[in-house]
């Protein structure tokens, strides 16, 4: 069985690493090829994750880079079609909701190659988010829909997806988190940034709705300056956010207790997350990672496609409202704690379940 797995952007790497590992147990019955579209390309947005997750260098690197949605999606499709024509795989695996996910699914289906979508069924019900369009379209043309949480099952059933295609397997990103947790003990990230356990706040922000406009970004800067008077704020900055901050000359407005850093590698990031007072974010994956670790998470978005992080976990949504975000931060600083539980099947074995399903179906 020949399988090509696609990775493109930072959050994809941790979802694919456990799947690659699980395939190694099939003693060569599965030929696994990794294709990196190059949607993310900086060393600390890409290569560092391959190294830390034990992923081999990709078999194909398409070198697409940034661009408008149409440009990025179109370029990936053209280059990925060449890979598919050369390799003629039995199946491709795509993960998450980035442009590489929909671009490669569509290319494969047009060549009558089966598609498996890992992290299927998540819905924010906000079609203004590019990721929501990517999710809906990818799910609608996938043959295997691997679901991370119960809301995914409900959404896919409501959309009338054939029950035979849906598999509740749990969360591959949590597989990676569980496997690297022991390594975080040897991280020296706290010393490096001169921060102490439970005495700092982490901030990550990269959604276009939060960082692309000068107004929103200057509100964010005000919020960070304000909360940094209580505790040090560590702000590993995404390239999109850095570009905006610099172009609006807002980087100079950040005060001394806000530590702006380059994007941080996976092990250091998790080491830092684990010991933080709280994280303020608009990321999807971090809502899940903080839920698993029991860390307080405040999400600066009006919707989430990951409701289990709220219903069961430690996440809270404050809308796109900086005042509410500040209030929520202050409540936590004053001792409020949301107690969460770990959602079903977030047990480190999701990739094994996926490989068993794919292998047993191929044997039929
Ligand atoms: C993408 C995903 C988003 C995901 C995020 C995780 C889409 C539509 N968006 O958003 O769902 O949450 O990744 O990080 O797929 N850039 C660099 N270096 C890099 C990567 C990007 O400088 O290594 C620059 C790009 O050139 C571009 C900007 O950052 O100017 C944004 O990159 P892009 O891939 O378009 O989208 P993200 O905002 O990263």
């Amino acid at each position: 069985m020949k399988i090509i797995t696609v990775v493109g952007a930072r959050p994809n790497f941790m979802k694919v690493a456990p799947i690659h590992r699980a395939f190694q147990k099939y003693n060569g019955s599965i030929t696994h090829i990794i294709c990196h579209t190059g949607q993310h390309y900086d060393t600390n947005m890409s290569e560092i994750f391959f190294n830390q997750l034990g992923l081999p260098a990709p078999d194909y690197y398409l070198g697409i880079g940034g661009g408008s949605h149409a440009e990025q999606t179109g370029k990936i499709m053209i280059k990925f079609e060449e890979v598919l024509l050369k390799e003629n795989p039995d199946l491709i695996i795509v993960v998450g909701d980035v442009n590489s996910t929909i671009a490669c699914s569509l290319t494969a289906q047009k060549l009558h190659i089966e598609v498996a979508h890992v992290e299927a069924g998540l819905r924010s019900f906000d079609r203004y988010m590019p990721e929501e369009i990517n999710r809906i379209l990818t799910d609608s043309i996938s043959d295997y829909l691997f679901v991370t949480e119960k809301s995914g099952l409900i959404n896919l059933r409501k959309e009338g997806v054939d029950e035979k295609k849906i598999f509740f397997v749990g969360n591959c990103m949590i597989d990676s988190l569980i496997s690297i947790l022991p390594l975080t003990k040897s991280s020296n990230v706290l010393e490096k940034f001169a921060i102490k356990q439970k005495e700092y706040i982490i901030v990550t922000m990269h959604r276009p709705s939060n960082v692309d406009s000068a107004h929103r970004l200057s509100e964010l800067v005000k919020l960070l300056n304000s909360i940094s008077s209580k505790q040090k704020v560590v702000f590993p900055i995404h390239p999109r956010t850095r570009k905006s901050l610099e172009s609006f000359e807002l980087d100079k407005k950040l005060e001394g207790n806000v530590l702006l850093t380059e994007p941080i590698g996976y092990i250091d990031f998790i080491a830092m997350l684990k010991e933080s007072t709280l994280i303020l974010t608009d990321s999807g994956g971090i809502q899940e990672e903080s839920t698993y670790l029991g860390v307080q998470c405040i999400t600066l978005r009006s919707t989430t496609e990951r409701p289990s992080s709220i219903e069961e976990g430690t996440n809270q949504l404050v809308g796109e409202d900086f005042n509410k975000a500040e209030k929520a931060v202050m409540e936590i600083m004053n001792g409020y704690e949301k107690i969460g539980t770990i959602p079903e099947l977030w047990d480190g074995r999701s990739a094994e379940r996926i490989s068993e399903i794919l292998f047993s179906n191929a044997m039929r």
Side-chain angles (χ1 to χ4, degrees), residues 346-359:
W346 290 19
D347 59 359
R349 297 197 45 238
S350 305
E352 269 172 51
R353 292 185 193 102
I354 290 174
S355 62
E356 277 160 23
I357 292 163
L358 292 177
F359 193 71

Side-chain angles (χ1 to χ4, degrees), residues 9 11 39-42 45 66 69 72 97-99 130-131 134 206-207 238-240 243:
Q39 181 175 342
H40 283 178
Y41 45 88
D42 290 342
M45 295 290 285
H69 284 277
Q72 201 173 50
D97 54 16
V98 300
N99 284 345
E131 294 82 0
N134 294 343
H206 75 280
R207 296 275 157 212
H238 188 281
R240 172 186 285 277
K243 280 183 191 168

Side-chain angles (χ1 to χ4, degrees), residues 13 29 31 35 63 78 106 138 200 206 244 278-279 292 317 323 336 342 363:
F13 308 127
S29 309
T31 303
C35 177
I78 293 165
L106 187 51
T138 303
Y200 60 91
H206 75 280
S244 274
L278 66 94
I279 184 155
Y292 185 83
L317 278 190
N323 292 325
Y336 168 74
I342 295 175
M363 290 295 102

Side-chain angles (χ1 to χ4, degrees), residues 315-326:
N315 185 24
Q316 48 174 315
L317 278 190
V318 291
E320 294 187 346
D321 183 332
F322 291 103
N323 292 325
K324 274 197 188 157
E326 182 160 9

Side-chain angles (χ1 to χ4, degrees), residues 83-362:
V83 175
L84 291 179
L85 291 173
K86 184 168 166 227
E87 294 290 349
N88 193 23
D90 299 294
L91 171 94
I92 72 152
I93 299 178
V94 293
V95 301
D97 54 16
V98 300
N99 284 345
S100 302
T101 311
I102 177 59
C104 294
S105 322
L106 187 51
T107 311
Q109 281 295 0
K110 292 275 176 117
L111 292 172
H112 312 295
I113 295 166
E114 288 198 310
V115 175
H117 184 206
V118 173
E119 207 184 81
L122 297 183
R123 298 287 181 266
S124 67
F125 303 102
D126 172 7
R127 292 200 178 193
Y128 200 75
M129 284 180 79
E131 294 82 0
E132 182 73 353
I133 306 296
N134 294 343
R135 291 181 202 114
I136 294 169
L137 296 182
T138 303
D139 284 344
S140 71
I141 55 172
S142 289
D143 303 283
Y144 295 85
L145 294 107
F146 293 119
V147 175
T148 53
E149 64 162 71
K150 281 187 188 144
S151 73
L153 292 176
I154 296 166
N155 295 332
L156 292 174
R157 283 172 186 152
K158 269 195 196 146
E159 288 170 19
V161 175
D162 182 349
E163 197 66 36
K164 289 200 280 298
K165 295 182 178 178
I166 306 174
F167 303 90
F168 181 31
V169 292
N171 193 326
C172 285
M173 202 189 57
I174 301 299
D175 290 8
S176 271
L177 177 59
I178 292 171
S179 72
I180 64 103
L181 267 182
L183 303 179
T184 61
K185 292 193 186 110
S186 46
S187 161
N188 65 355
V189 69
L190 269 59
E191 294 91 75
K192 192 167 128 199
F193 294 145
I195 46 179
K196 293 201 184 95
Q197 257 184 349
K198 304 292 169 204
E199 290 186 13
Y200 60 91
I201 293 167
I202 308 177
V203 176
T204 80
M205 219 47 71
H206 75 280
R207 296 275 157 212
S209 59
N210 278 330
V211 306
D212 283 4
S213 90
H215 172 68
R216 295 277 309 156
L217 208 53
S218 70
E219 292 292 305
L220 177 69
V221 168
K222 275 191 225 153
L223 170 68
L224 300 193
N225 286 341
S226 170
I227 60 178
S228 73
S229 65
K230 306 281 178 212
Q231 274 194 9
K232 192 157 182 172
V233 171
V234 184
F235 185 14
I237 193 159
H238 188 281
R240 172 186 285 277
T241 313
R242 181 178 286 283
K243 280 183 191 168
S244 274
L245 210 60
E246 288 174 356
S247 75
F248 304 133
E249 297 187 11
L250 287 165
D251 45 335
K252 300 179 188 85
K253 299 238 161 89
L254 282 170
E255 287 169 8
N257 219 20
V258 182
L259 178 63
L260 205 61
T261 78
E262 288 303 309
I264 296 176
Y266 188 44
I267 295 173
D268 280 349
F269 186 77
I270 297 298
M272 197 166 74
L273 177 59
K274 204 165 65 131
E275 305 298 350
S276 63
T277 307
L278 66 94
I279 184 155
L280 174 65
T281 191
D282 61 4
S283 149
I286 290 172
Q287 297 172 52
E288 298 182 335
E289 288 163 340
S290 53
T291 276
Y292 185 83
L293 295 170
V295 170
Q296 301 300 301
C297 179
I298 299 171
T299 301
L300 237 162
R301 284 175 47 189
S302 316
T303 57
T304 180
E305 61 289 340
R306 294 162 160 90
S308 73
S309 67
I310 303 209
E311 288 152 16
E312 300 172 72
T314 49
N315 185 24
Q316 48 174 315
L317 278 190
V318 291
E320 294 187 346
D321 183 332
F322 291 103
N323 292 325
K324 274 197 188 157
E326 182 160 9
K327 193 165 162 265
V329 169
M330 292 311 162
E331 279 170 2
I332 293 169
M333 305 282 280
N334 291 331
Y336 168 74
E337 190 182 2
K338 186 172 182 209
I339 306 291
T341 54
I342 295 175
E344 193 179 339
L345 298 187
W346 290 19
D347 59 359
R349 297 197 45 238
S350 305
E352 269 172 51
R353 292 185 193 102
I354 290 174
S355 62
E356 277 160 23
I357 292 163
L358 292 177
F359 193 71
S360 62
N361 274 20

